Amino acid sequence: MRDTEGEGAGGPATTEDLLYDVIRRLWPLHRTVVRAVERELADTGMTAGEHALLDALRTEGPRTVPQLARSMGLDRQPVQRWVNHAAELGLVVTAPNPAHRRSPLIRLTGDGTAAIRGVQQFEATELRQRLADLPAEDVRTALHVLDRLGEEFRHLANGSRVQREETDSQGSRDSRGSEGSNGSNRRHGSAEGHDDRPAPPPLMHKGRSGE
């Protein structure tokens, strides 16, 4: 990507310039969040990736490993490793899947629910203290922009090109090209879905590297 830092010095920055600035901040932000998560999880035995797994199960309910991998934007192999280790820690168990006998459901145990709830309560306290000056409307706008970026980059990753006429004047997809920004990949929509890097978990945590 071209360097647009400093552009707009002679005039207002264009939307394209601002989007480049958003994109170039995402990877450093991802790594910083993962480091913060690992530090907070240090005494729990969990990795940052396993925290993201527990968060997905708490939010979405019991899921199969392939379903979890899709919602987290990752390959199946790292998710399966996280499931295996979380099961060793007693945080998740497998349950029969009426829809697919060979693909069991993964669900939280009581200990798993307590673990993710405790970490997220700590995170919520930290967020309130550190980011109290951010208006809710700014956060909603940020979510909207990240959802759109995720949607467009999924199209690029799949090798598809969406025509301009398929986007309405508000920038939303019509029924022909929609993938639906329903938030399913909002937390875990990592562009690094082909390795073991954990998708950005909620915010802070404790533990070994999830890579």
Side-chain angles (χ1 to χ4, degrees):
M1 291 183 180
R2 62 192 179 88
D3 183 5
T4 59
E5 293 288 355
E7 288 189 12
T14 66
T15 300
E16 178 186 338
D17 294 337
L18 293 171
L19 285 171
Y20 270 107
D21 285 344
V22 170
I23 292 166
R24 72 165 53 89
R25 282 167 170 76
L26 290 178
W27 179 244
L29 174 62
H30 175 201
R31 300 304 300 162
T32 301
V33 168
V34 170
R35 285 196 299 271
V37 167
E38 290 170 345
R39 182 172 183 175
E40 177 56 26
L41 291 173
D43 299 326
T44 70
M46 284 192 291
T47 68
E50 287 154 12
H51 169 276
L53 171 74
L54 298 191
D55 176 66
L57 289 172
R58 186 183 182 200
T59 302
E60 302 169 11
R63 292 289 185 271
T64 66
V65 169
Q67 287 171 338
L68 287 164
R70 283 193 296 272
S71 71
M72 298 170 75
L74 297 170
D75 288 341
R76 178 174 176 169
Q77 290 81 357
V79 176
Q80 184 66 65
R81 286 196 292 272
W82 296 336
V83 167
N84 293 345
H85 187 245
E88 292 175 6
L89 296 175
L91 303 174
V92 303
V93 293
T94 59
N97 181 2
H100 198 304
R101 288 170 48 186
R102 298 181 61 185
S103 187
L105 294 170
I106 312 301
R107 65 173 180 82
L108 290 171
T109 63
D111 287 345
T113 300
I116 190 64
R117 181 182 293 128
V119 171
Q120 290 182 338
Q121 286 174 347
F122 174 82
E123 292 174 344
T125 300
E126 290 289 304
L127 286 172
R128 281 194 297 270
Q129 293 176 350
R130 298 175 183 272
L131 300 175
D133 59 322
L134 275 180
E137 189 57 36
D138 286 0
V139 178
R140 280 191 284 268
T141 299
L143 289 172
H144 172 71
V145 172
L146 291 173
D147 283 347
R148 281 298 310 278
L149 284 172
E151 180 183 350
E152 298 306 327
F153 275 90
R154 281 193 295 276
H155 284 301
L156 289 173
N158 292 333
S160 61
R161 299 290 180 178
V162 181
Q163 299 301 315
R164 286 180 62 94
E165 57 267 23
E166 294 187 21
T167 302
D168 64 24
S169 60
Q170 282 73 43
S172 61
R173 289 277 171 240
D174 67 15
S175 59
R176 291 172 294 172
S178 175
E179 284 194 14
S181 295
N182 60 7
S184 61
N185 289 318
R186 185 172 296 160
R187 297 179 318 280
H188 309 296
S190 171
E192 301 296 322
H194 298 288
D195 60 17
D196 286 3
R197 295 186 182 94
L203 245 236
M204 326 186 103
H205 304 210
K206 297 182 182 176
R208 305 173 312 178
S209 171
E211 298 183 38

